[in-house]
Amino acid sequence: MIFGAGVIGSVYALRLAQSGLDVTILARGKRLEALRREGLKYNDNGTIKQLSIKTIEKLENDDCYDFILVPVRYDQAESALSAIKDNWSKNIVTLTNTIGYDSWLEIVGDRLLPGFPGAGGDIKQGVLYAQFGSEKHQGTIFGEINGLTTERVKELAQIFESVNLHYEIQENIRAFHISHTALAIVNKHFYTNDGMVDIGTARSASTLSKIAAAIKQNIRLVEQAGIPVIPPETKAMGEMSDNDIISRYRQMLSNDFIIDVKLGNHAVSQKAEIMLLDEMFHKMTSIRR
């Protein structure tokens, strides 16, 4: 079951259902109505297609699934987990940003399997425009908090293999999440008081200089807190020159898909998450130093 029918939940539901797996989406409100009326509408190389998919509005306690995927924003994770805490399913996979798991463990206990999505995109006028990362890019990342490769980790890996989804079993999932947060929170520099900057401002030297300085400072804070910076590509960004980081971001922001991810509707709705993560990240790194 996929908890939520936003961009990430929808793209996972689409891929799993297209591959013949038994998938249910928990959705609410207008999104639920649209899914029931029109199916899951998505862009396939410029053609708008539709896939019928099972939906529910409420999860009953005795509705058991092999895995419940929870791809919600960090600021929504506790309420989402609270909504499914009494369900009998044994494996709850969070696919979101975070810097720790204590509050989540209090809600769902050792059913928790933390992860991070390997997809991005946007929903425009009810149509999903999203894609998964290739092997050259980040796939779906997940792993036990204790670093062990358990049977459920192997089972989830087999599911992703069966639907041809790139994945990585991460032995230090917490270090990964903190390292990724160090990069994610720099997106706060793309926000205005009532939305996002325009593409010209996003690609400007003044904006990208702030981005570059924040990336290097945040990675330094992770290292000073004694936390491994992973993967190596993230660690390498902390050692790049400001000009190299600016050039990399300019290149990314010349790609329409990346522009949607960084500046589109999904990014606008992500503001509360980014600002909360920014606050929690700096609180955590200051305590650990």
Side-chain angles (χ1 to χ4, degrees), residues 190-212:
F190 290 136
Y191 289 112
T192 63
N193 288 336
D194 56 358
M196 310 296 294
V197 298
D198 58 66
I199 183 60
T201 305
R203 298 182 82 241
S204 68
S206 59
T207 299
L208 293 183
S209 293
K210 294 176 187 174
I211 294 276

Short mmCIF file of all heavy atoms in Angstrom, two decimals, residues 190-212:
data_model
loop_
_atom_site.label_atom_id
_atom_site.label_comp_id
_atom_site.label_asym_id
_atom_site.label_seq_id
_atom_site.Cartn_x
_atom_site.Cartn_y
_atom_site.Cartn_z
N PHE A 190 15.65 29.31 -2.65
CA PHE A 190 14.81 29.45 -3.83
C PHE A 190 13.41 29.98 -3.48
O PHE A 190 12.61 30.24 -4.36
CB PHE A 190 14.65 28.11 -4.57
CG PHE A 190 15.90 27.64 -5.27
CD1 PHE A 190 16.29 26.31 -5.17
CD2 PHE A 190 16.68 28.50 -6.01
CE1 PHE A 190 17.43 25.85 -5.82
CE2 PHE A 190 17.83 28.06 -6.65
CZ PHE A 190 18.21 26.74 -6.56
N TYR A 191 13.13 30.10 -2.16
CA TYR A 191 11.78 30.52 -1.76
C TYR A 191 11.69 32.04 -1.64
O TYR A 191 12.64 32.72 -1.27
CB TYR A 191 11.41 29.90 -0.40
CG TYR A 191 11.15 28.41 -0.48
CD1 TYR A 191 12.01 27.51 0.12
CD2 TYR A 191 10.05 27.91 -1.15
CE1 TYR A 191 11.78 26.14 0.05
CE2 TYR A 191 9.81 26.55 -1.24
CZ TYR A 191 10.68 25.67 -0.63
OH TYR A 191 10.46 24.32 -0.71
N THR A 192 10.50 32.54 -1.98
CA THR A 192 10.16 33.93 -1.69
C THR A 192 9.10 33.89 -0.60
O THR A 192 8.71 32.83 -0.12
CB THR A 192 9.59 34.62 -2.95
OG1 THR A 192 8.36 33.97 -3.33
CG2 THR A 192 10.58 34.55 -4.11
N ASN A 193 8.60 35.06 -0.21
CA ASN A 193 7.58 35.10 0.84
C ASN A 193 6.31 34.36 0.42
O ASN A 193 5.61 33.79 1.26
CB ASN A 193 7.23 36.55 1.19
CG ASN A 193 8.36 37.22 1.96
OD1 ASN A 193 9.17 36.55 2.60
ND2 ASN A 193 8.43 38.55 1.87
N ASP A 194 6.00 34.35 -0.88
CA ASP A 194 4.74 33.76 -1.31
C ASP A 194 4.90 32.72 -2.43
O ASP A 194 3.95 32.44 -3.15
CB ASP A 194 3.77 34.85 -1.77
CG ASP A 194 4.38 35.73 -2.86
OD1 ASP A 194 5.55 35.51 -3.22
OD2 ASP A 194 3.66 36.64 -3.34
N GLY A 195 6.09 32.16 -2.56
CA GLY A 195 6.27 31.14 -3.60
C GLY A 195 7.73 30.87 -3.87
O GLY A 195 8.54 30.77 -2.94
N MET A 196 8.06 30.75 -5.17
CA MET A 196 9.43 30.45 -5.57
C MET A 196 9.97 31.60 -6.42
O MET A 196 9.21 32.33 -7.06
CB MET A 196 9.47 29.17 -6.42
CG MET A 196 8.76 27.97 -5.85
SD MET A 196 9.46 27.37 -4.31
CE MET A 196 11.07 26.77 -4.84
N VAL A 197 11.29 31.73 -6.45
CA VAL A 197 11.91 32.69 -7.36
C VAL A 197 11.69 32.23 -8.80
O VAL A 197 11.41 31.06 -9.06
CB VAL A 197 13.43 32.82 -7.08
CG1 VAL A 197 13.68 33.33 -5.68
CG2 VAL A 197 14.15 31.49 -7.31
N ASP A 198 11.82 33.14 -9.74
CA ASP A 198 11.71 32.75 -11.15
C ASP A 198 13.02 32.10 -11.58
O ASP A 198 14.03 32.16 -10.87
CB ASP A 198 11.40 33.96 -12.03
CG ASP A 198 12.43 35.07 -11.91
OD1 ASP A 198 13.59 34.85 -12.32
OD2 ASP A 198 12.09 36.15 -11.38
N ILE A 199 13.02 31.48 -12.74
CA ILE A 199 14.19 30.71 -13.19
C ILE A 199 15.42 31.59 -13.35
O ILE A 199 16.54 31.18 -13.05
CB ILE A 199 13.88 29.93 -14.50
CG1 ILE A 199 15.07 29.07 -14.91
CG2 ILE A 199 13.45 30.86 -15.60
CD1 ILE A 199 15.49 28.02 -13.90
N GLY A 200 15.22 32.83 -13.80
CA GLY A 200 16.35 33.74 -13.95
C GLY A 200 17.02 34.04 -12.63
O GLY A 200 18.26 34.01 -12.52
N THR A 201 16.22 34.31 -11.61
CA THR A 201 16.76 34.58 -10.27
C THR A 201 17.41 33.33 -9.69
O THR A 201 18.45 33.40 -9.04
CB THR A 201 15.64 35.07 -9.33
OG1 THR A 201 15.00 36.21 -9.92
CG2 THR A 201 16.19 35.43 -7.97
N ALA A 202 16.80 32.17 -9.94
CA ALA A 202 17.36 30.91 -9.43
C ALA A 202 18.75 30.65 -10.00
O ALA A 202 19.62 30.13 -9.30
CB ALA A 202 16.42 29.75 -9.77
N ARG A 203 18.96 31.03 -11.27
CA ARG A 203 20.24 30.77 -11.93
C ARG A 203 21.24 31.91 -11.76
O ARG A 203 22.36 31.84 -12.26
CB ARG A 203 20.02 30.51 -13.43
CG ARG A 203 19.15 29.30 -13.71
CD ARG A 203 18.97 29.04 -15.21
NE ARG A 203 20.14 28.32 -15.74
CZ ARG A 203 20.94 28.78 -16.68
NH1 ARG A 203 20.73 29.97 -17.20
NH2 ARG A 203 21.96 28.05 -17.09
N SER A 204 20.85 32.96 -11.03
CA SER A 204 21.71 34.13 -10.88
C SER A 204 22.88 33.84 -9.95
O SER A 204 22.83 32.96 -9.09
CB SER A 204 20.91 35.31 -10.33
OG SER A 204 20.53 35.06 -8.98
N ALA A 205 23.94 34.62 -10.11
CA ALA A 205 25.14 34.46 -9.28
C ALA A 205 24.82 34.71 -7.81
O ALA A 205 25.34 34.02 -6.92
CB ALA A 205 26.24 35.40 -9.76
N SER A 206 23.97 35.68 -7.53
CA SER A 206 23.68 36.01 -6.12
C SER A 206 22.97 34.86 -5.42
O SER A 206 23.32 34.50 -4.28
CB SER A 206 22.82 37.28 -6.04
OG SER A 206 21.60 37.11 -6.72
N THR A 207 21.98 34.23 -6.10
CA THR A 207 21.27 33.10 -5.49
C THR A 207 22.18 31.88 -5.37
O THR A 207 22.26 31.25 -4.30
CB THR A 207 20.03 32.73 -6.32
OG1 THR A 207 19.13 33.84 -6.37
CG2 THR A 207 19.29 31.54 -5.71
N LEU A 208 22.88 31.55 -6.42
CA LEU A 208 23.69 30.33 -6.42
C LEU A 208 24.93 30.47 -5.54
O LEU A 208 25.45 29.46 -5.05
CB LEU A 208 24.08 29.94 -7.85
CG LEU A 208 22.88 29.51 -8.73
CD1 LEU A 208 23.35 29.07 -10.10
CD2 LEU A 208 22.09 28.38 -8.06
N SER A 209 25.40 31.69 -5.30
CA SER A 209 26.49 31.88 -4.35
C SER A 209 26.05 31.53 -2.93
O SER A 209 26.80 30.92 -2.16
CB SER A 209 26.99 33.34 -4.39
OG SER A 209 27.60 33.63 -5.62
N LYS A 210 24.80 31.89 -2.61
CA LYS A 210 24.24 31.51 -1.30
C LYS A 210 24.11 29.99 -1.19
O LYS A 210 24.40 29.41 -0.14
CB LYS A 210 22.87 32.16 -1.09
CG LYS A 210 22.89 33.67 -0.97
CD LYS A 210 21.47 34.20 -0.89
CE LYS A 210 21.42 35.71 -0.93
NZ LYS A 210 20.03 36.21 -1.00
N ILE A 211 23.66 29.36 -2.28
CA ILE A 211 23.52 27.91 -2.32
C ILE A 211 24.87 27.23 -2.08
O ILE A 211 24.99 26.32 -1.25
CB ILE A 211 22.94 27.45 -3.68
CG1 ILE A 211 21.50 27.96 -3.86
CG2 ILE A 211 23.03 25.93 -3.84
CD1 ILE A 211 20.42 27.14 -3.24
N ALA A 212 25.89 27.68 -2.80
CA ALA A 212 27.22 27.08 -2.70
C ALA A 212 27.79 27.22 -1.29
O ALA A 212 28.32 26.26 -0.71
CB ALA A 212 28.17 27.73 -3.71
#
